[in-house]
Amino acid sequence: MSDAPADPGAPRAAPALPARLAPGEARERFRAGLRVPTAGYCAGYAQANLIALPRDLALDFLLFAQRNPKACPVLEVTEPGEVSAPVFAGDLRSDLPAYRVYEHGRLVAETADATAYWRPDLVAFLIGCSFTFEAPMLEAGIPLRHIETGRNVAMYTTDRPCRSAGRLAGPLVVSMRPIPAERVADAVRITARYPSVHGAPVHVGDPAGLGVADLDAPDFGDPVEVRPGEVPVFWACGVTPQAAVAASAPEFAIAHAPGHMAITDARDHDYRVP
Amino acid sequence: MSDAPADPGAPRAAPALPARLAPGEARERFRAGLRVPTAGYCAGYAQANLIALPRDLALDFLLFAQRNPKACPVLEVTEPGEVSAPVFAGDLRSDLPAYRVYEHGRLVAETADATAYWRPDLVAFLIGCSFTFEAPMLEAGIPLRHIETGRNVAMYTTDRPCRSAGRLAGPLVVSMRPIPAERVADAVRITARYPSVHGAPVHVGDPAGLGVADLDAPDFGDPVEVRPGEVPVFWACGVTPQAAVAASAPEFAIAHAPGHMAITDARDHDYRVP
């Protein structure tokens, strides 16, 4: 894993490893302009996807999430105008490493600070993120190549439609991790314990079965090599709301840039079931 | 699933579906000469592998099982000369559909009745069988092609060595079931609840990683087609002791014919963990 550049405003002299940062320290770095994928950051703390929509779309999105719980597990919803939350003691407009701004379904900006785009009528949803269960997988000795190589996870838009809700419809998006064939069962069992951060895989092997023609050409994130002896394993992904935004063209939306997550103050363990 | 041929000696007029037979009824049919793979028989009742070895090899085998618990989960061990057990209220010499007899590691007979070969110094081990968790997989709507097509499950000798014990050593044997890619996670979770009947898969996808060059040429059982959209999933198999017998050439052994199991009086549920 590559170390993060030192943040000149941080009180400590030497840069800490990303995994060892506290959530507030990481958010401070991102607010200061650090723009990196967050896989491997703040070990033990849950990460979250962000989707902020105008108030009049909030009900449609809550229904969409309710009907697609593997892809859209809602961890937190703000009141309109609120920019922090009990599980996120920072500023949702600036404390993620990067944002995407959509108008009528088109990506109009990718920015490290969304403050200038934020509107007072936005309702922000924090959606569980599969990065949350990467720490327990690593603890179990399951290698995760995108973390080892300091890259973003590979994500794909599938041909599997989500259940629609009101004005929102779109395809399921998945993240992919190459898992050694003899550890796939362990990866399933570990991630199944975290249902509110996408839980067990939705698909194992057979990319074509999801309509993914070329693993080397992800729709989001970086390509991650699948080596002999490994199997591509697919988890539902919190970029799914952005695919719904792209497909359904609501007037306005702000989201995190894929892989550049909200680091919450909640512990991974808080989302684990027995 | 094909129905079993009617047993002329059975008291009922119409043949019952194999899944609905009680263990004693199935054993009676096998004792009368019915020679079929037992997958799908006696739904809800656990099935078991048999390996019977001369008393002076029993300690070696118990150690072998202890060191290879995924492949050799011991459900029951008889005293020398005993031919039934609390979980098997039949005659171990005759009440399985078919047996294999080994001398110095060579297969010298395959027979529907092992009574003539049985020796008073044999200790019989009943080893958990993955057929036990097929009923819960079917209940969960996971299709199992070898049952649908009335065939034996496909089994392969891998290039993965077991841990040796005394005079016994040999490779791991696995059973394979093609599972739809979107149900692999469910198959893992369901079978993981049955650790004493092989539990979660040892390998998912990538047959070459187990040294299996050709899925269409199983070492035991029948070839089972893997269709597009499916992934070959491998579970440790209770034929592993027979591979150890073939590799280690102990003086004498009697085993079940692969896929032709001991149907026990224990319930699947008895081997389920919470």
Side-chain angles (χ1 to χ4, degrees), chain A residues 181-182 185 201-204 206 229 231, chain B residues 181-182 185 188 201-204 206 229 231:
Chain A
E182 72 276 14
V202 291
H203 205 85
V204 176
D206 183 44
V231 178
Chain B
E182 73 276 12
V188 168
V202 292
H203 204 85
V204 176
D206 183 44
V231 178

Side-chain angles (χ1 to χ4, degrees), chain A residues 73-94:
Chain A
V74 176
L75 304 183
E76 186 71 78
V77 189
T78 64
E79 296 290 323
E82 275 186 356
V83 293
S84 68
V87 298
F88 188 88
D91 187 323
L92 285 166
R93 300 168 299 182
S94 58

Side-chain angles (χ1 to χ4, degrees), chain A residues 3-7 12-17 29:
Chain A
D3 198 357
D7 174 355
R12 52 178 76 194
L17 281 169
R29 291 183 181 208

Side-chain angles (χ1 to χ4, degrees), chain A residues 144-167:
Chain A
L144 295 174
R145 183 154 303 119
H146 65 287
I147 294 181
E148 286 167 1
T149 57
R151 311 192 83 183
N152 200 344
V153 74
M155 293 164 270
Y156 305 87
T157 303
T158 71
D159 63 5
R160 195 182 294 190
C162 290
R163 287 182 62 196
S164 63
R167 288 158 285 175

Side-chain angles (χ1 to χ4, degrees), chain A residues 4-257:
Chain A
D7 174 355
R12 52 178 76 194
L17 281 169
R20 295 198 186 143
L21 291 172
E25 294 173 312
R27 291 192 298 250
E28 189 175 284
R29 291 183 181 208
F30 302 147
R31 196 183 319 138
L34 177 65
R35 195 162 167 171
V36 291
T38 51
Y41 265 73
C42 304
Y45 288 93
Q47 303 200 14
N49 300 270
L50 171 69
I51 181 81
L53 291 162
R55 176 181 205 152
D56 90 305
L57 268 164
L59 177 62
D60 284 0
F61 184 74
L62 271 175
L63 279 176
F64 185 81
Q66 173 73 26
R67 290 176 185 168
N68 300 283
K70 285 281 275 189
C72 303
V74 176
L75 304 183
E76 186 71 78
V77 189
T78 64
E79 296 290 323
E82 275 186 356
V83 293
S84 68
V87 298
F88 188 88
D91 187 323
L92 285 166
R93 300 168 299 182
S94 58
D95 291 4
L96 280 64
Y99 297 83
R100 288 188 167 183
V101 182
Y102 294 90
E103 288 178 8
H104 302 291
R106 286 191 316 110
L107 178 65
V108 295
E110 179 154 331
T111 175
D113 186 344
T115 307
Y117 299 89
W118 206 269
R119 298 179 358 184
D121 66 334
L122 290 183
V123 175
F125 299 83
L126 291 177
I127 305 290
C129 170
S130 57
F131 289 174
T132 306
F133 54 52
E134 290 183 336
M137 280 205 279
L138 290 170
E139 274 164 33
I142 298 173
L144 295 174
R145 183 154 303 119
H146 65 287
I147 294 181
E148 286 167 1
T149 57
R151 311 192 83 183
N152 200 344
V153 74
M155 293 164 270
Y156 305 87
T157 303
T158 71
D159 63 5
R160 195 182 294 190
C162 290
R163 287 182 62 196
S164 63
R167 288 158 285 175
L168 294 174
L172 173 70
V173 177
V174 293
S175 64
M176 186 280 288
R177 292 163 185 81
I179 304 287
E182 72 276 14
R183 302 304 307 273
V184 170
D186 294 329
V188 168
R189 295 168 71 185
I190 290 167
T191 61
R193 294 179 197 135
Y194 295 86
S196 56
V197 294
H198 302 305
V202 291
H203 205 85
V204 176
D206 183 44
L210 288 173
V212 175
D214 183 2
L215 284 178
D216 293 333
D219 297 291
F220 309 96
D222 296 324
V224 173
E225 184 193 4
V226 181
R227 296 194 188 145
E230 298 175 340
V231 178
V233 178
F234 301 92
W235 281 266
C237 177
V239 173
T240 300
Q242 296 189 52
V245 163
S248 312
E251 176 229 337
F252 188 72
I254 295 178
H256 70 291

Side-chain angles (χ1 to χ4, degrees), chain B residues 23 52 161 184 189-190 202 206 209 238 264:
Chain B
V184 170
R189 295 168 71 185
I190 290 167
V202 292
D206 183 44
T264 78

